[in-house]
Structure formats: structure tokens, C-alpha cells
Amino acid sequence: MINFNIPPVTGNELQYIQKAIGNRKICGDGEFTKKCSQWMEERFKVQKVLMTTSGTSALDLAVMLCDLKEGDEVILPSFTFSSTATAPLLSQASLVFVDLDPKTMNIDPERIREAITDKTKVVIIMHYGGISCDMDKIMDIVKEHNLILIEDAAQGVMASFKGKALGTFGDFGCYSFHETKNYSMGEGGALLINNPQYNERAEILREKGTDRSKFNRGQVDKYTWVDRGDSFLPSELNTAYLFAQLEQADQINEDRKNTWNFYYSQLEDLQAKRQIELPYLPEGAQHNAHLFYIKTKDLEERSQLIQFAREQGVQLVFHYIPLHSAPAGLKYGRMSGEDQFTTVESERLVRLPMYYGMTSEDAKKTVSVIREFYENR
Ligand SMILES: *Cc1c(COP(=O)(O)O)cnc(C)c1O
């Protein structure tokens, strides 16, 4: 079976984990945690990066820093992973889902504009598949209405818009290093803070509501409980694994892009014949080949394709069930405006296997299975 994902390994992971063990420090904020956050600060030009235990906890921490109150509204896409929505729920905020742009499957900026009320405090966007949202329009809207912007850039590590890294546009950017993402530490994430006014409080909320980070830097002579908080520090064992991946980030990116470009070139004629649709790359969006999807005619055709591919040994998967119609979405949120595209487009979308080190034989096999399916239609 050709799996849709295999977690990345680049070679130095074990050596770095051994180093972390030898350091006699395996809790958070040791050598490798610092190396990972510094690497990202330099590479992505971010003034502060805090490693977290997951992409979800990076979102949780970002939303905690927004100090939302019950009744405050958060605008977010319906087509996204549940973590984009569970974070604001921790603050009792109301979820306002909006429709997407069918070309990219990203949030539609015009729908954001229409959803704004005097209760709106935060906008969370998600860069689907590492292909940037329309950041020119979105930045205009959040500035005009003085809203806090959080980027769920879980899928966007090493991707950019007009040369600027995804995750560095909003007040906060959230990365994931889950094993299904381009760079991995098993479970893990990072919070990018682009607005320095949040730096100090972010450190405190991340460290169980204490000022231990200041204490560790020698800025205070004892540490104490000063605020709300939680524990978001990943273990050194995990960050050691991640650092090996970050050192090879360009190689991983290039390898994935080769597979992505191969898929695209081999399926382009099916798009020309209007049998399927392929991902769309807006001008200025430099993507990271996080995933490759095709769109079938409809839900029925998608189910048949998945079944056909499974019989041929290729695992195709789909996501997401739109959040506004999911059980928790119905309970905690509302859709602003019409669901013109979210449901119909999500039902057509199917992901092809995509991971670091995928062999060209496996990519060829995947293509030939899809082509065979469409030849017989
Ligand atoms: C993976 C993902 C998350 C969650 O990341 P975890 O590290 O698994 O918690 C959040 N949002 C999106 C869009 C994701 O793809």
C-alpha cells in the first residue's frame, strides 16, 4: 500500500536525541528548544518564536493572549481542522464561520469583511496546503477594523507570500510539527509572535503562569506565579528530533516539491479535459508542497476513486468535514453568509500520497491509478 503519509526522518535525529539525553536536560527550553526557535527566528525573520507541544497548543496560546470575553466574536473559515475552532472556544468566544474561495480553498476575504460586527475581535485564517491566503486583502481588512489576526500556518512552514514567510503576517502565527506535517517532532508546534507587545505575557502563559523564563535569564532573582497559564513546553527529546529536520529544511522542501510538480505535470491534461481540477497557485504564493489534492466531479465520483485506488494499493484520503455543519460547530458557532462553496468543494477534494522521500515509482503508480480510473469513464 502506498500510504498518504510517512513521517520524515533525515538522519541526525537519533544523534541529537542522544545529545539531549547527555545534556541531562530533557524537559523544555534546553539546547535544542533554543536551537529550533532561533533557527526559525533567523530563517523566517520573526522577532520571537516559542516552541509548543502542538500546533493546537500554539493556537490555544495565541488566543489566550487575545484576552477574549464571552460574547466576543472570532471569524474563521469553516474549511479547516478542528483546532482552529477549539482554541477560541477555550475563551468562551463565539465562532463565526465564513465561506472559502473555491480556487484555493482558503478563506474568502470578502466574506470576512461581511461577517464583521462590533463584537468581532479576532480573525483566524488558515493557509490551506501551504498555499497563502490573499494576504494583501486580509491585512487591509484587519488594519481597517483594528482586529487581531492569527494565522493558522500549521501547514505553511517554509511557504511564503511575496517573499514573506507564512506565519509572519498576523499578530501571531501558529506552526505544527505533527508527524503529518512537512517538518516533524512527532507532536509539536511553535508560536510566532510578530507583535512584540505580547512577548512577555506569552512567556508567562506558556510557563504555567509564572515568570520562570525571566528567572532563567537572570532578570529576576526568584520566580513566582503572576498570571493565568498552562504548560506548553515541549520536551527536549522532541525538539532534538525537529532540529535535525530543520537543518535539512531546504532538502525536504525540494524533495516534496519534486513530487508535487510531478503530480501536476502528469495530471494537467485531465484538468484540460475538465475531468478533474488541480490546485491553483495565486500570484505571489510560494508554496511548500504540504499536500497535493485533486477535485473530482462530485462526492460520488470521489468515493469511487478512493475505492478504486485502494484496490490498486494507493491510499487516497479526504478532509475536512466543514466545521459549521459538524456537531460542535452547530453547537458553538454560526455560519455568516451563505455556504456557497465550503460543502460542495470539500466533498470533491481528495489528497494524493505526499511525503518526504517518496519514490518516483510510487508517485508514478499513484498517477497511473488515477489516469486509469478516468480512462474508463
Ligand atoms: C495539523 C493542523 C493543526 C493542528 O496541529 P497539531 O500539531 O496536530 O496540534 C491545526 N490546524 C491545521 C490547519 C492543521 O493542519
Side-chain angles (χ1 to χ4, degrees), residues 54-56 59 80-81 83-84 126 152 154-155 176-178 181 187-188 320:
S54 64
T56 305
L59 284 159
T80 181
F81 190 61
S83 305
T84 322
M126 190 273 276
D152 179 343
Q155 305 177 3
S176 167
F177 301 111
H178 185 261
K181 301 305 198 293
E187 300 276 357
Y320 303 101

Side-chain angles (χ1 to χ4, degrees), residues 206-231:
R206 176 173 171 269
E207 264 277 24
K208 301 100 183 165
T210 73
D211 56 2
R212 182 150 67 184
S213 299
K214 268 188 166 172
F215 173 75
N216 287 341
R217 283 194 299 264
Q219 291 168 319
V220 289
D221 58 11
K222 59 179 186 317
Y223 81 86
T224 184
W225 178 35
V226 294
D227 202 336
R228 296 196 299 153
D230 208 323
S231 183

Side-chain angles (χ1 to χ4, degrees), residues 267 270-271 274-278 294-296 301 374:
L267 296 169
L270 297 185
Q271 172 164 258
R274 297 183 184 277
Q275 288 188 294
I276 61 171
E277 273 175 47
L278 298 178
I294 64 172
K295 284 185 187 166
T296 60
E301 187 178 283
Y374 280 102

Side-chain angles (χ1 to χ4, degrees), residues 169-223:
F169 287 85
D171 297 84
F172 305 104
C174 304
Y175 285 169
S176 167
F177 301 111
H178 185 261
E179 75 162 32
T180 52
K181 301 305 198 293
N182 293 26
Y183 311 94
S184 185
M185 52 196 270
E187 300 276 357
L191 177 69
L192 281 63
I193 307 175
N194 302 308
N195 182 340
Q197 81 179 58
Y198 295 105
N199 285 0
E200 189 174 331
R201 188 138 190 261
E203 284 184 346
I204 290 168
L205 300 195
R206 176 173 171 269
E207 264 277 24
K208 301 100 183 165
T210 73
D211 56 2
R212 182 150 67 184
S213 299
K214 268 188 166 172
F215 173 75
N216 287 341
R217 283 194 299 264
Q219 291 168 319
V220 289
D221 58 11
K222 59 179 186 317
Y223 81 86

Side-chain angles (χ1 to χ4, degrees), residues 8 210 219 246 344 376:
T210 73
Q219 291 168 319
L246 294 180
V344 285
N376 298 322

Side-chain angles (χ1 to χ4, degrees), residues 38-327:
Q38 266 168 17
W39 188 93
M40 285 186 268
E41 284 167 4
E42 281 159 28
R43 176 85 192 217
F44 304 132
K45 301 188 176 63
V46 194
Q47 60 94 35
K48 193 157 193 68
V49 173
L50 296 175
M51 299 305 298
T52 61
T53 46
S54 64
T56 305
S57 61
L59 284 159
D60 290 349
L61 181 52
V63 177
M64 277 172 87
L65 287 159
C66 299
D67 260 336
L68 296 176
K69 288 166 199 66
E70 198 173 339
D72 286 345
E73 291 179 353
V74 175
I75 296 173
L76 71 166
S78 174
F79 184 74
T80 181
F81 190 61
S82 56
S83 305
T84 322
T86 50
L89 275 189
L90 291 177
S91 309
Q92 314 278 309
S94 303
L95 306 176
V96 179
F97 298 107
V98 299
D99 207 4
L100 53 75
D101 176 348
K103 270 172 142 174
T104 57
M105 303 300 282
N106 283 331
I107 196 164
D108 182 337
E110 287 315 312
R111 300 288 95 80
I112 298 177
R113 200 188 286 283
E114 290 162 11
I116 293 170
T117 70
D118 53 9
K119 291 184 181 153
T120 308
K121 295 281 161 18
V122 175
V123 175
I124 310 182
I125 60 170
M126 190 273 276
H127 303 288
Y128 182 62
I131 296 173
S132 175
C133 294
D134 187 339
M135 292 319 298
D136 288 335
K137 282 194 187 147
I138 290 170
M139 293 313 290
D140 282 350
I141 294 168
V142 295
K143 277 183 191 145
E144 188 184 321
H145 294 271
N146 203 17
L147 303 172
I148 300 173
L149 178 66
I150 300 174
E151 293 174 79
D152 179 343
Q155 305 177 3
V157 183
M158 291 282 285
S160 59
F161 179 70
K162 296 189 177 169
K164 190 171 158 61
L166 301 190
T168 68
F169 287 85
D171 297 84
F172 305 104
C174 304
Y175 285 169
S176 167
F177 301 111
H178 185 261
E179 75 162 32
T180 52
K181 301 305 198 293
N182 293 26
Y183 311 94
S184 185
M185 52 196 270
E187 300 276 357
L191 177 69
L192 281 63
I193 307 175
N194 302 308
N195 182 340
Q197 81 179 58
Y198 295 105
N199 285 0
E200 189 174 331
R201 188 138 190 261
E203 284 184 346
I204 290 168
L205 300 195
R206 176 173 171 269
E207 264 277 24
K208 301 100 183 165
T210 73
D211 56 2
R212 182 150 67 184
S213 299
K214 268 188 166 172
F215 173 75
N216 287 341
R217 283 194 299 264
Q219 291 168 319
V220 289
D221 58 11
K222 59 179 186 317
Y223 81 86
T224 184
W225 178 35
V226 294
D227 202 336
R228 296 196 299 153
D230 208 323
S231 183
F232 292 124
L233 283 69
S235 154
E236 278 284 293
L237 300 177
N238 297 64
T239 53
Y241 190 101
L242 179 66
F243 189 61
Q245 313 249 310
L246 294 180
E247 282 189 322
Q248 306 292 329
D250 291 301
Q251 183 189 318
I252 294 177
N253 199 34
E254 204 180 296
D255 180 273
R256 298 182 72 108
K257 283 191 117 165
N258 285 340
T259 304
W260 200 100
N261 292 335
F262 177 77
Y263 280 151
Y264 198 97
S265 68
Q266 299 297 305
L267 296 169
E268 227 175 341
D269 63 315
L270 297 185
Q271 172 164 258
K273 283 190 267 178
R274 297 183 184 277
Q275 288 188 294
I276 61 171
E277 273 175 47
L278 298 178
Y280 171 78
L281 295 175
E283 209 179 306
Q286 187 77 39
H287 74 108
N288 60 357
H290 172 61
L291 54 81
F292 192 95
Y293 68 82
I294 64 172
K295 284 185 187 166
T296 60
K297 182 159 68 68
D298 54 22
L299 179 59
E300 194 191 337
E301 187 178 283
R302 181 178 76 177
S303 307
Q304 288 165 359
L305 173 61
I306 292 173
Q307 171 72 20
F308 179 78
R310 189 187 305 129
E311 285 160 10
Q312 313 279 319
V314 176
Q315 186 188 24
L316 305 181
V317 300
F318 65 83
H319 66 179
Y320 303 101
I321 309 292
L323 296 185
H324 76 278
S325 57

